[in-house]
Amino acid sequence: MAGEPNAAGGEPLIALRGVSRHYEIGGGTVKALDQVDLEVRPGEFVVILGASGSGKTTLLNVIGALDLPTAGTIRIGGRDVTGATRRELFALRRHEIGFIFQSFNLFPGLTALENVEFGADVAGRADARDAAGEVLAQVGLGERGDHFPHELSGGEQQRVAIARALAAGNPIVLADEPTGELDFETGVQILELLHGVTHTSGTAVLVVTHNREIARVADRVVELSSGTVVSDRANEPAALADLRW
Ligand SMILES: Nc1ncnc2c1ncn2[C@@H]1O[C@H](COP(=O)(O)OP(=O)(O)O)[C@@H](O)[C@H]1O
Ligand SMILES: [Mg+2]
């Protein structure tokens, strides 16, 4: 990040060049990621598809500055993050990224509204409470703000988690198997919501899944196998009603 200007016009929001994440274990090397090139632009809805162990979570973690690659460069918003200090990485996570997890990871002692407000607050938004109310309404839970997570269904909890990520107002949302714990119909609604976000706010959304059926809703599918990108193609999104898993 060191003193570089902010995103120049036309530059991708996310740019990975030759990114590897190797682990040295017991005399051998595990190549969780190996020589990955990837560019993502604002407003893209990208599904990262791959079997268990193919490197999906590792990829999201290095994009989200939760982990650093062992080789290659990563630029987020035009800034090189691979040489950044821990402090700079912290700022990057606050201001560029929103995270959504398979198991929701809501704060159990906070209401839905407070969970979302937390997301806005961490990103430094002065209007955190108002922003939280707006985003919660946007995900269809405007009336449930005073409910605690345990009073909500799985699908509703994931909506709150999405609202918490969106309330930060950050340009990138990273979702690791966000429908993994949801039934089919609820999963479809969650994907619909995430897809809509890219159109309404220009946010880039990256959804990781092992589920080929989920990949059919994407504008673009990046397939991972053994830590490498084996295909990267545009996709005509399937009607959500046509999906089955
Ligand atoms: N901390 C670690 N130490 C050693 N190997 C790891 C570590 N984290 C992940 N791996 C290995 O890297 C590969 C990719 O893991 P991961 O990114 O979690 O895959 P996925 O999310 O696609 O299931 C797997 O072989 C996994 O065992
Ligand atoms: Mg994973």
Side-chain angles (χ1 to χ4, degrees):
M1 266 193 221
E4 286 178 49
N6 220 327
E11 180 139 20
L13 191 51
I14 301 169
L16 280 67
R17 292 269 177 284
V19 166
S20 296
R21 177 59 166 112
H22 293 181
Y23 294 100
E24 304 301 333
I25 306 239
T29 302
V30 177
K31 298 181 176 179
L33 290 178
D34 199 40
Q35 294 290 322
V36 169
D37 295 324
L38 181 69
E39 287 190 355
V40 178
R41 294 179 186 279
E44 277 198 282
F45 183 62
V46 182
V47 165
I48 315 281
L49 177 67
S52 177
S54 59
K56 305 182 299 296
T57 294
T58 306
L59 180 62
L60 278 200
N61 286 349
V62 297
I63 292 172
L66 292 170
D67 188 19
L68 286 171
T70 45
T73 59
I74 300 179
R75 296 174 76 82
I76 301 290
R79 296 169 182 227
D80 178 12
V81 300
T82 24
T85 64
R86 290 189 70 81
R87 202 69 217 155
E88 288 168 333
L89 292 176
F90 191 83
L92 177 90
R93 289 189 293 268
R94 280 182 73 190
H95 298 299
E96 307 289 341
I97 315 283
F99 293 98
I100 298 165
F101 304 94
Q102 175 171 343
S103 47
F104 324 135
N105 292 2
L106 297 176
F107 298 107
L110 301 187
T111 64
L113 184 64
E114 288 167 345
N115 266 281
V116 179
E117 185 178 358
F118 181 89
D121 201 42
V122 165
R125 290 183 68 162
D127 59 341
R129 175 53 67 112
D130 291 344
E134 270 174 40
V135 180
L136 203 56
Q138 191 190 325
V139 302
L141 291 177
E143 309 298 309
R144 312 298 290 277
D146 58 350
H147 286 61
F148 288 91
H150 75 270
E151 298 172 322
L152 300 170
S153 70
E156 288 169 340
Q157 289 183 58
Q158 194 59 300
R159 282 173 187 272
V160 175
I162 291 169
R164 181 176 61 186
L166 296 179
N170 291 345
I172 299 168
V173 168
L174 305 176
D176 198 347
E177 305 268 9
T179 63
E181 292 184 14
L182 305 175
D183 61 64
F184 166 73
E185 246 174 60
T186 312
V188 166
Q189 289 164 7
I190 291 298
L191 292 171
E192 211 164 29
L193 182 60
L194 286 170
H195 203 166
V197 162
T198 61
H199 296 304
T200 52
S201 64
T203 306
V205 178
L206 277 69
V207 174
V208 152
T209 184
H210 64 276
N211 191 323
R212 201 159 279 281
E213 197 69 4
I214 288 180
R216 294 179 57 207
V217 307
D219 298 326
R220 177 177 165 201
V221 179
V222 174
E223 209 164 331
L224 276 184
S225 177
S226 302
T228 65
V229 173
V230 291
S231 81
D232 183 344
R233 62 184 192 277
N235 181 61
E236 189 59 45
L240 290 165
D242 290 345
L243 299 179
R244 287 290 169 270
W245 70 80

